[in-house]
Amino acid sequence: MDVAVIGTGYVGLVSAVCLAHMGHTVAGVDNDVEKLAQLRGGKSPIYEPGLQEDLTLAIGTGRLQFHGDLVAAVGGSTVVFIAVGTPPLPSGASDTRAVATVATAIGAALAGDHQPRLIVNKSTVPVGTGAWVQDLVARSAAAAGAAPPPVTVVSNPEFLREGQALWDSYNPDRIVLGSDDPAALITMEKLYAPLIKRRCRGCDISHPGPIPLIKTDLASAEMIKYAANAFLATKVSFINELARLCDHLGADITLVADGIGLDKRIGRAFLDAGIGWGGSCLPKDVSALVYTANSQGVHSRLLEAVTEINQDQRRLVVRKLQQALPVLQGRTVGLLGLTFKPNTDDLREAPALDIATELIRLGATVKGFDPYWSRQDHWPKSLASIQHCASAMALAKGCDALVVVTEWPEFKLLDWARLGREMHQRLVVDGRNCLDGAALTAAGFRWQGMGRNPPAHESA
Ligand SMILES: NC(=O)c1ccc[n+]([C@@H]2O[C@H](COP(=O)([O-])OP(=O)(O)OC[C@H]3O[C@@H](n4cnc5c(N)ncnc54)[C@H](O)[C@@H]3O)[C@@H](O)[C@H]2O)c1
């Protein structure tokens, strides 16, 4: 099929590459001139494992092109994906202005056009947005003096995880399609057929059976996305609350998580205690759902608590440092990992930013080493208050404490004995419980995990 993907960020670009590898002809559209120039030059503007290679291959097939001309891309397509950002507003609500801009532009582009088309919302949008997009397209065409174009809106929420976005796109746990028009769902099923049957590059063919397809009405599909992220956030905040208790009681939260995670009704995933969730999805999607609930007169007490617990985890790291040092004024703290999770370059809502701000407010100097950003030729503006270190060894030099903020796999393999010799004091707060605490203790470090300490260590 001929497909347009409007918005070539983390979701749009990965989706465009994946659709091209499914055999479709894809036009990727973005209004960010710099991003577009990089994409046209065949270069991925974001870091995601395997993306550059698959992008190059997709462009090489001739089935993937990028341009800034939305009108041409929409005109030449039967399926138009909207994958623009929906960041949070100060109220917590989702900012859907970019979606509205694109819907209005699509309406204008299709004024007077009689070819049926699908508009697919891949952006995470509040329940009701699909119907709103349908209306915006019709109104925009009407403003150009034309009858509503024959478009049908479909909700196709995205569940990929940054850091493994390509794998998740080729091997989703399920595909959710929502529309109030059954014919639109049939077309979407055809579009995804190569993926559903696992007959596309990147598909895990050792996995038995097709990929489950969930077909719903428009509103239910929109709700599924929020429900999924809210549940994941709840799981993490649940285990973090128990981790705090474990700190007091001398129990080990990792053993507790293993013990409950083997129960099939619970599952082990998303039960790793630590600094908590960040990034561009969970925080904004939980706050948008709380906002929607409030606007419907439903007080979402659970999700408000989930958010509060998550913020507390960032403060807990600072409290652990205060207890161990105990004055932070004049101390030097090194942050290991700055992105919101490993294997991505994404710094949106990264816990490292809050932790650094608080440490600096308390008079500490904050240094940072990130396996992605420390190796680039520029240090992003959002990290300006954090001193750039080119290596973990440079980070450790003169530090009173190191904090593992992001569990990049390479941190386990560091020469910790050497790092310790560079440090002013051998204190490590393992904010992700990803290091071997016993080995570090044996090597002369004071090691503090999250929910893994003997009772005497913690009174936060
Ligand atoms: N990032 C994730 O892990 C993830 C996962 C699932 C769902 N989502 C959802 O997907 C959506 C996109 O997220 P993202 O992380 O890819 O965002 P992003 O900011 O990385 O990408 C959005 C892109 O849209 C472009 N854009 C904005 N307005 C445009 C316009 N008028 N015309 C053309 N292009 C325009 C931007 O330039 C940018 O490249 C959001 O709703 C998000 O909640 C994200």
Side-chain angles (χ1 to χ4, degrees), residues 3 49 87 99 123 125 154 180 186-187 198 218 222 254 259 272 288 342 347 370 422-423 430 448:
V3 180
V99 173
S123 297
V125 287
V154 175
D180 301 330
I186 292 170
T187 307
R198 301 186 198 275
L218 204 45
E222 290 169 338
T254 59
D272 291 315
L347 289 165
D370 182 80
E422 294 294 325
M423 293 175 72
D430 184 356
Q448 297 236 342

Side-chain angles (χ1 to χ4, degrees), residues 5-13 29-33 35 39 46 48 68 70 82-87 94 97-99 101-102 105 122-125 157-163 165 225-226 229 280-281 284-285 340-341 346 348:
V5 179
I6 319 294
T8 55
Y10 288 87
V11 165
L13 178 56
V29 179
D30 210 289
N31 64 355
D32 179 327
V33 182
K35 196 174 270 192
L39 287 168
I46 54 166
E48 193 51 62
L70 182 140
I82 302 181
V84 296
T86 47
S94 172
R97 279 176 297 183
V99 173
T101 305
V102 171
K122 209 164 224 333
S123 297
T124 303
V125 287
E158 179 55 61
F159 301 98
L160 64 76
R161 295 162 291 180
E162 284 179 29
K225 174 62 192 175
Y226 283 101
N229 273 359
S280 70
C281 288
K284 82 168 173 64
D285 292 350
F340 87 95
K341 68 193 300 200
D346 201 344
R348 292 179 285 186

Side-chain angles (χ1 to χ4, degrees), residues 7 14 20 86 102 163 168 230 249 281 299 390 400:
V14 172
T86 47
V102 171
D168 287 349
L249 301 178
C281 288
H299 183 189
D400 294 289

Side-chain angles (χ1 to χ4, degrees), residues 94-119:
S94 172
D95 183 349
T96 51
R97 279 176 297 183
V99 173
T101 305
V102 171
T104 305
I106 292 173
L110 295 181
D113 192 298
H114 302 296
Q115 189 196 322
R117 284 185 178 78
L118 298 186
I119 299 182

